[in-house]
Amino acid sequence: MRRVDFDTWEEILLTITRNKTRSVLTAFGIFWGIFMLVALMGGAQGMQDMLSRQFQGFATNSGFMATNKTSKAYKGFQQGRWWNMENQDVERIRNSVPGIDVVTATIAQWGVNIVREEYTLSGTLKGLYPEYDKIEEPIIRMGRSLNETDIRDRRKVCVIGKRIYETLFPKKDNPCGQFIEINGIYYRVVGVNEATGNMSVNGQSETSVVIPFTTMQQNYNRGKQIDMLGYTAKKGYSISQVEKDVERTIKLAHAIHPDDEQAVIRVNAEAMFSMMDNLFTGIRMLGWLVGLGTLLAGAIGVSNIMMITVKERTTEIGIRRAIGARPDDILQQILLESMVLTTLAGMAGISFAVFLLNIVETATSEEPGLPAHFLISFWQAVGACILLVVLGLLAGLVPAYRAMAIKPIEAIRDE
């Protein structure tokens, strides 16, 4: 094995520290470039995690449809007609749209008073089917979710949101089996939904009370009307394809003009998630461009400084050549100096960026919900280190070849 040449490394250290101010200013370009690259990478990942936390448990391949006032007359009906979907539309869609995986009806009432003993809170009352859990997955910590028996028997049972539980049951006791009052009707609590996502439809889950769909239709005289349809697409189908078939089926059943865009309100969650992914892809690309651009500028600065160093050491290099130093030895010496300066500055930049990202992650992890990971992965750190070594090698190539071209007699004559 080749032994470690301590003299070479000592000389590299002396060369770098000979002009401390120049070395520090040169290294700062590399330090700042790798700091920005790592900080932007980690920051973009953390921001994406924080935004994804808001959509926790929500199906990415889902869509919703509601009604609105018509804008075109059709089949004897005047323009400006209000209309409603009905229970039969669920079966119509299930039988007519091949790309549908789950389709379910929802109804809601906002601003209801939720009361237990002396505690009260305003929230949203939702009538749902158990299938809706496949669109917006609840987090049941106590009790259970709604089931088919609740739907069939029109039971007066409910699942309450996290904030409702904390307000009506401040002692944190088990609410299952106890009763709450909503607009004069008592419901028995069968579960607590602790989901905190902000993608909730018809109000946030934290402040919502969910009861069986059939119970809500009966108790609040809703007849067969529904407020909104929720659906998911089968594998291989997109929501954009499915919602066109759903809209066509609904319009045909309710005598709505096929070209009436105003009569139907559509929400494509799949498109929203795709837009979010594209946004963060763009942010990551911007981070790479800014970081790599700054790193490249820093590497050019290192190369220029090494050129100046080679010029200042012309006599020294000439003497080395005169006493037998090979061109490869001179090349290795200059490249090592460039790589050491670049690597030291870069590792300092990575360490500082990771230190700041760790502080941000610790601060955000104190908030409820899923943690946001601001730190970069191990392989990203390895990739950054490899990038530093490559930049140091490239920055030292031109100065090294210039040093190799120095002839001993010309170096002594210059002196």
Side-chain angles (χ1 to χ4, degrees):
M1 290 181 59
R2 184 177 179 180
R3 65 182 180 86
V4 178
D5 191 348
F6 290 102
D7 292 337
T8 299
W9 291 104
E10 183 179 1
E11 184 177 354
I12 291 173
L13 181 61
L14 290 174
T15 302
I16 294 176
T17 56
R18 184 178 301 165
N19 192 325
K20 297 181 178 64
T21 302
R22 185 171 66 187
S23 297
V24 169
L25 292 177
T26 303
F28 183 77
I30 296 295
F31 168 87
W32 188 249
I34 199 68
F35 167 77
M36 290 185 65
L37 179 61
V38 174
L40 287 172
M41 288 169 56
Q45 181 62 51
M47 290 292 292
Q48 186 171 9
D49 288 347
M50 291 181 67
L51 189 56
S52 298
R53 183 171 62 190
Q54 305 303 314
F55 306 134
Q56 174 190 0
F58 204 88
T60 57
N61 64 332
S62 61
F64 299 89
M65 190 166 292
T67 64
N68 194 18
K69 185 168 59 175
T70 62
S71 62
K72 294 183 178 182
Y74 188 63
K75 289 187 177 182
F77 292 101
Q78 295 294 323
Q79 175 185 346
R81 171 172 62 102
W82 289 98
W83 63 287
N84 294 288
M85 291 183 289
E86 57 189 15
N87 294 345
Q88 292 180 347
D89 290 328
V90 175
E91 287 302 320
R92 289 190 182 110
I93 294 170
R94 188 175 286 131
N95 297 329
S96 303
V97 181
I100 281 288
D101 183 22
V102 173
V103 58
T104 183
T106 70
I107 48 179
Q109 185 173 340
W110 294 270
V112 298
N113 290 321
I114 308 165
V115 181
R116 175 182 173 267
E117 298 176 353
E118 70 273 19
Y119 308 108
T120 183
L121 180 69
S122 179
T124 305
L125 181 64
K126 299 181 182 180
L128 302 178
Y129 282 98
E131 290 86 353
Y132 188 78
D133 290 353
K134 297 180 181 179
I135 297 177
E136 188 178 352
E137 183 181 1
I139 301 176
I140 305 297
R141 299 299 187 193
M142 288 180 281
R144 62 174 176 84
S145 187
L146 300 180
N147 56 38
E148 292 297 335
T149 304
D150 299 327
I151 298 293
R152 185 192 65 216
D153 296 342
R154 294 181 172 85
R155 290 177 172 175
K156 293 181 180 179
V157 295
C158 67
V159 176
I160 61 177
K162 180 180 179 182
R163 193 180 304 172
I164 294 176
Y165 165 68
E166 292 172 348
T167 302
L168 301 186
F169 299 88
K171 295 181 181 179
K172 307 299 182 183
D173 50 336
N174 191 339
C176 296
Q178 302 193 47
F179 288 85
I180 62 174
E181 178 190 350
I182 302 175
N183 291 353
I185 301 176
Y186 285 87
Y187 296 91
R188 189 176 77 246
V189 178
V190 295
V192 177
N193 179 15
E194 294 193 356
T196 57
N198 289 331
M199 190 64 182
S200 305
V201 178
N202 286 333
Q204 294 186 354
S205 298
E206 292 180 289
T207 56
S208 295
V209 177
V210 177
I211 65 175
F213 181 88
T214 52
T215 303
M216 187 162 182
Q217 276 193 328
Q218 174 180 274
N219 290 356
Y220 299 93
N221 299 319
R222 299 298 297 268
K224 295 182 179 180
Q225 295 179 1
I226 63 178
D227 293 340
M228 184 180 295
L229 284 173
Y231 42 85
T232 61
K234 292 180 180 178
K235 187 176 182 180
Y237 291 85
S238 68
I239 288 297
S240 299
Q241 295 172 315
V242 168
E243 72 177 3
K244 293 179 181 178
D245 295 334
V246 172
E247 181 179 351
R248 188 183 306 112
T249 302
I250 293 297
K251 286 182 175 180
L252 180 63
H254 295 274
I256 306 297
H257 196 289
D259 298 328
D260 191 342
E261 295 294 330
Q262 178 181 300
V264 175
I265 300 174
R266 299 176 299 273
V267 177
N268 189 335
E270 185 178 62
M272 295 173 60
F273 282 106
S274 177
M275 183 172 60
M276 184 182 69
D277 290 339
N278 292 336
L279 171 65
F280 281 100
T281 299
I283 292 175
R284 282 191 290 268
M285 291 180 62
L286 178 63
W288 275 101
L289 288 175
V290 172
L292 289 177
T294 309
L295 272 176
L296 182 60
I300 293 174
V302 171
S303 181
N304 290 335
I305 292 301
M306 294 304 299
M307 291 286 288
I308 296 173
T309 302
V310 168
K311 185 174 181 61
E312 292 175 348
R313 297 167 61 190
T314 299
T315 302
E316 173 193 334
I317 294 173
I319 294 174
R320 288 189 177 193
R321 294 291 306 277
I323 61 177
R326 297 173 300 175
D328 289 347
D329 296 329
I330 303 299
L331 176 67
Q332 179 183 356
Q333 181 72 22
I334 302 301
L335 288 179
L336 283 176
E337 291 176 8
S338 174
M339 292 171 64
V340 167
L341 181 62
T342 304
T343 303
L344 289 177
M347 294 303 294
I350 293 176
S351 300
F352 186 57
V354 170
F355 172 73
L356 292 183
L357 289 173
N358 186 51
I359 293 177
V360 175
E361 180 169 330
T362 302
T364 55
S365 64
E366 296 177 357
E367 300 178 1
L370 295 176
H373 300 289
F374 283 84
L375 296 180
I376 62 174
S377 67
F378 171 77
W379 292 111
Q380 286 176 320
V382 171
C385 294
I386 294 175
L387 179 63
L388 288 173
V389 174
V390 172
L391 282 176
L393 181 64
L394 294 176
L397 280 177
V398 175
Y401 278 109
R402 178 168 181 175
M404 287 176 57
I406 295 176
K407 297 180 180 180
I409 188 64
E410 293 178 358
I412 296 174
R413 186 184 299 120
D414 288 342
E415 180 63 22

